[in-house]
Amino acid sequence: MSNNMNEIEFPAVSYDEWKETAIKSLKGKPFESLFTKTIEGITLQPLYTQEMLIEKLGDELEKQVSTIRSLKASDSVQAAQTIYGDNEEQFFDRLKDSVKRGNGIITIDSRVLEWNDENLNKLAKYLVETPFKLLVESDRILDVFSKIPEADREKVKGYVIAKDAVELEGYPNVRTFAADTVPYHYEGAHVVQELALSLAQAAKYAEKSESFESFANKFFVHFAIDTHFFQEIAKLRAFKVLWKAFAKAYNAEAVPVPVLAETSLRSFSKYDIYVNLLRAGNEAFAALIGGADAITVYPYDVLTKPTDQSIRIARNVVLVLKEESFVDDVLDPAGGSYFIETLTREYVEKAWELFLQIQEAGGIDEFEKSGKLQSALEEVYKTRIQQVETRKHSLIGTNIYANPADELQTETNPLYADIKRLAVPFETLREQYAKANPKIGILTFGKLKDFKPRADFVEGFFATAGVVPVESGEIESIEEAKNWLQQTDADYVVIAATNDQTKEIVPALLEGKKESVILDVAGKFPEEEQEWLSKGLNGFIYLGQNIVEKLTALLESLKEVQR
């Protein structure tokens, strides 16, 4: 066999051959278990092939790729870091430092400072020299534009994100028509909804403008990027395809519009905060590959209080990705991927359909007034919360692999206090269990190898509430188990054993159980359930259970016992 890699050829394998091998490796599980249905109703395949892509897009594939590549608004991505400060001095010191250290676009949330004339004059000088992203929650900050000399106004480049479009005379390079999907994102919106709503906002501005050209020159889009890596890449690519279709509907030529992205705080947690850094890095990389023109990365401790260190790390996430991954040097790095091209197309089709429904309802304002938008977003949000509470969606360090020793940060950053984060139910749970401080034990029956899988599961289950249960150690007789249960000072005990051993010991343990001890079983036992419950068993702990509902109900039961 030749050692020259250039001469090695691997045999081509058909999809059917791959499927046959996959079925064998599943060992009895259905092949369909490899398919994943997303919250948008799209089914993700376990494998994508060239044939599948051609079947889906056909001649449209080349158009899709060329559209995405031709509508990139800038040659290079920019870091767009938010400036934080407890006071005016710290704010402006950090602003100056961020520009010096590679921040290409200064992002300013108007809620950070009280904007008096002195602060506005200081800010005005920076806006002349550095591109900006302005998040307008208070109209007072808009007075900064009156502080800039008329001779300098053409130099000013930036983006203004406000609830309503801002008209700025004499600022040709400041875009003020923002399709800001971030508020909808935090209400629970999925990818298809975000894309459709971006077009609906665009339609609102386009219809009020003198011409499509004047609108397009003021327009940009603002997305939050979630942790679903490939879906978020496809989302940004899909927007460009949708934008071209949108322009065509107005009989206009699509011109590149800036795509601004920020890492999502939806999956951020106050526990195990360094995982937030991993989430933000993942999201920023997806934004870069997807073709964002500017990326805002939130510091890992932004929910409490960002420090100089966390701010620096957040900025460097973009700079490292830009300078060291070389992805920024590639036009549309995801182009041609069978999976991402297919997913991009599916998002385009579904988002355009929803956009038309919004327009038929009278546009985005009427759609919101009717309550249909809020209802749709609430439904998706509830699904997201349920997925987290049942561990169908993992939040590392929060609902899985939680560290019970972690202490909740009591300080809260008011800028982000109202975001509907997915970790909130677990943070609330940990606070409640910390106050109640219940004594929880695990009765581990049999040999270590027998009970360890279920004992580990129970420990992980309670770790999400910040609790470390006490294990009994190896107990190998029913009499010994009874004695331990009588002598334990635990308020609540879970039995961890094999299925057969559990069926053997539970009836005997229920006979002599103290009324003050709440007893549960690890595992599901549908045939024995009713009988055991009727004899005093509290319930069960098992995979796929709603952790928050179970632990909340248990806490109420423990309060009753403790009274």
Side-chain angles (χ1 to χ4, degrees):
M1 183 176 176
S2 172
N3 289 324
N4 188 339
M5 290 297 291
N6 294 327
E7 296 176 10
I8 295 175
E9 290 186 7
F10 294 95
V13 178
S14 69
Y15 181 84
D16 290 337
E17 288 174 308
W18 174 85
K19 181 178 177 181
E20 186 180 338
T21 303
I23 291 172
K24 287 178 184 176
S25 68
L26 287 169
K27 296 179 181 177
K29 288 184 182 178
F31 179 67
E32 288 70 28
S33 65
L34 297 177
F35 292 75
T36 304
K37 192 165 186 178
T38 72
I39 204 164
E40 296 88 6
I42 291 170
T43 300
L44 301 181
Q45 308 270 352
L47 180 71
Y48 288 81
T49 66
Q50 186 178 32
E51 291 76 17
M52 292 163 67
L53 178 61
I54 292 171
E55 184 181 342
K56 176 71 178 174
L57 275 80
D59 295 338
E60 294 297 311
L61 174 59
E62 191 175 334
K63 291 180 184 176
Q64 176 168 293
V65 173
S66 63
T67 295
I68 292 165
R69 293 177 180 178
S70 65
L71 291 180
K72 186 81 165 71
S74 59
D75 295 331
S76 182
V77 71
Q78 294 295 321
Q81 186 170 37
T82 305
I83 312 301
Y84 301 98
D86 294 337
N87 51 54
E88 297 162 16
E89 183 181 1
Q90 187 182 55
F91 176 86
F92 284 105
D93 282 348
R94 283 179 170 173
L95 194 162
K96 183 179 179 181
D97 183 65
S98 81
V99 174
K100 179 182 175 183
R101 296 183 182 274
N103 194 23
I105 296 175
I106 51 176
T107 298
I108 299 159
D109 189 319
S110 65
R111 298 171 294 177
V112 173
L113 286 184
E114 290 294 326
W115 293 101
N116 55 37
D117 283 339
E118 184 182 353
N119 288 337
L120 290 171
N121 281 320
K122 283 183 186 177
L123 182 61
K125 293 176 183 177
Y126 282 100
L127 299 193
V128 172
E129 298 167 358
T130 311
F132 62 87
K133 182 172 81 172
L134 202 60
L135 307 174
V136 180
E137 292 289 339
S138 165
D139 287 346
R140 172 64 170 142
I141 198 171
L142 293 174
D143 290 343
V144 70
F145 294 106
S146 66
K147 309 290 185 184
I148 297 173
E150 288 188 23
D152 291 333
R153 292 181 181 181
E154 281 198 22
K155 301 178 192 173
V156 179
K157 295 179 181 179
Y159 308 90
V160 176
I161 300 173
K163 191 172 182 182
D164 297 308
V166 176
E167 292 291 345
L168 284 179
E169 292 295 328
Y171 287 92
N173 297 310
V174 177
R175 293 179 181 258
T176 57
F177 292 172
D180 183 18
T181 66
V182 173
Y184 304 117
H185 175 89
Y186 288 132
E187 288 297 314
H190 55 56
V191 169
V192 170
Q193 290 168 330
E194 288 179 45
L195 289 168
L197 290 165
S198 70
L199 295 184
Q201 290 181 75
K204 175 183 173 180
Y205 297 134
E207 285 158 16
K208 291 180 179 179
S209 299
E210 293 178 6
S211 66
F212 189 89
E213 184 182 7
S214 63
F215 146 72
N217 287 335
K218 291 285 185 182
F219 180 67
F220 67 100
V221 67
H222 189 218
F223 287 115
I225 306 299
D226 207 356
T227 53
H228 298 285
F229 187 73
F230 296 108
Q231 286 96 314
E232 294 299 315
I233 293 171
K235 175 172 80 178
L236 298 189
R237 297 178 83 250
F239 171 75
K240 292 173 183 176
V241 179
L242 289 163
W243 171 245
K244 184 172 183 178
F246 180 84
K248 188 176 179 181
Y250 282 84
N251 296 315
E253 187 71 28
V255 294
V257 297
V259 174
L260 275 56
E262 63 176 45
T263 55
S264 172
L265 296 177
R266 187 159 64 189
S267 295
F268 266 41
S269 173
K270 286 187 174 182
Y271 285 107
D272 209 349
I273 58 173
Y274 293 107
V275 179
N276 293 335
L277 175 58
L278 301 178
R279 293 183 180 111
N282 174 73
E283 293 163 354
F285 196 34
L288 177 61
I289 293 174
D293 298 291
I295 303 172
T296 301
V297 175
Y298 284 109
Y300 58 81
D301 54 0
V302 74
L303 299 177
T304 51
K305 185 178 180 180
T307 62
D308 287 336
Q309 181 192 40
S310 67
I311 289 169
R312 181 185 178 192
I313 290 171
R315 178 177 61 246
N316 284 344
V317 165
V318 179
L319 298 180
V320 168
L321 288 174
K322 176 181 176 179
E323 303 293 344
E324 298 187 18
S325 73
F326 297 104
V327 172
D328 193 41
D329 297 333
V330 181
L331 182 62
D332 186 26
S337 161
Y338 303 152
F339 172 32
I340 294 177
E341 292 292 4
T342 303
L343 190 56
T344 299
R345 186 64 178 185
E346 288 177 322
Y347 282 156
V348 167
E349 291 171 354
K350 284 184 173 287
W352 188 259
E353 182 182 349
L354 179 56
F355 164 60
L356 294 180
Q357 290 174 15
I358 295 171
Q359 293 306 99
E360 286 168 9
I364 191 167
D365 289 341
E366 291 302 316
F367 194 63
E368 286 199 53
K369 285 178 188 175
S370 70
K372 290 180 180 177
L373 176 58
Q374 191 58 35
S375 176
L377 295 180
E378 281 179 9
E379 186 179 341
V380 180
Y381 174 72
K382 286 177 183 176
T383 301
R384 290 190 188 280
I385 288 292
Q386 184 184 40
Q387 287 179 345
V388 170
E389 292 181 351
T390 57
R391 288 180 171 172
K392 288 181 181 176
H393 176 72
S394 295
L395 285 180
I396 306 298
T398 300
N399 72 348
I400 192 167
Y401 305 124
N403 181 1
D406 267 351
E407 292 185 10
L408 180 67
Q409 303 294 316
T410 54
E411 191 167 5
T412 297
N413 189 334
L415 299 182
Y416 312 110
D418 297 331
I419 287 176
K420 293 164 78 170
R421 294 180 295 107
L422 301 179
V424 168
F426 286 91
E427 292 171 2
T428 303
L429 201 61
R430 289 183 74 144
E431 286 184 75
Q432 293 170 340
Y433 267 79
K435 288 176 184 175
N437 193 27
K439 294 177 181 177
I440 293 173
I442 306 176
L443 196 164
T444 51
F445 191 87
K447 294 289 186 183
L448 178 65
K449 64 180 178 61
D450 297 326
F451 63 71
K452 191 176 190 308
R454 279 186 171 160
D456 287 349
F457 174 78
V458 173
E459 284 192 1
F461 198 96
F462 279 95
T464 64
V467 175
V468 180
V470 176
E471 289 192 17
S472 66
E474 291 184 352
I475 293 178
E476 297 187 51
S477 72
I478 293 177
E479 200 59 38
E480 191 183 349
K482 282 183 177 180
N483 289 337
W484 184 87
L485 199 56
Q486 282 293 329
Q487 294 169 13
T488 183
D489 63 349
D491 305 307
Y492 168 80
V493 174
V494 184
I495 299 169
T498 64
N499 278 358
D500 290 340
Q501 289 171 332
T502 302
K503 291 174 186 178
E504 180 187 352
I505 66 173
V506 167
L509 292 177
L510 289 173
E511 283 179 15
K513 181 183 78 67
K514 292 186 296 186
E515 283 192 18
S516 60
V517 176
I518 298 172
L519 192 63
D520 267 357
V521 167
K524 293 182 80 173
F525 296 85
E527 293 180 7
E528 293 79 15
E529 181 177 346
Q530 289 308 314
E531 182 185 349
W532 290 354
L533 292 174
S534 67
K535 291 183 178 179
L537 186 73
N538 177 68
F540 304 84
I541 286 182
Y542 52 86
L543 189 65
Q545 190 173 24
N546 187 307
I547 298 176
V548 174
E549 286 182 5
K550 173 66 180 178
L551 292 183
T552 301
L554 174 60
L555 200 58
E556 291 303 312
S557 299
L558 286 166
K559 287 177 183 176
E560 290 294 324
V561 170
Q562 290 170 348
R563 286 194 192 114

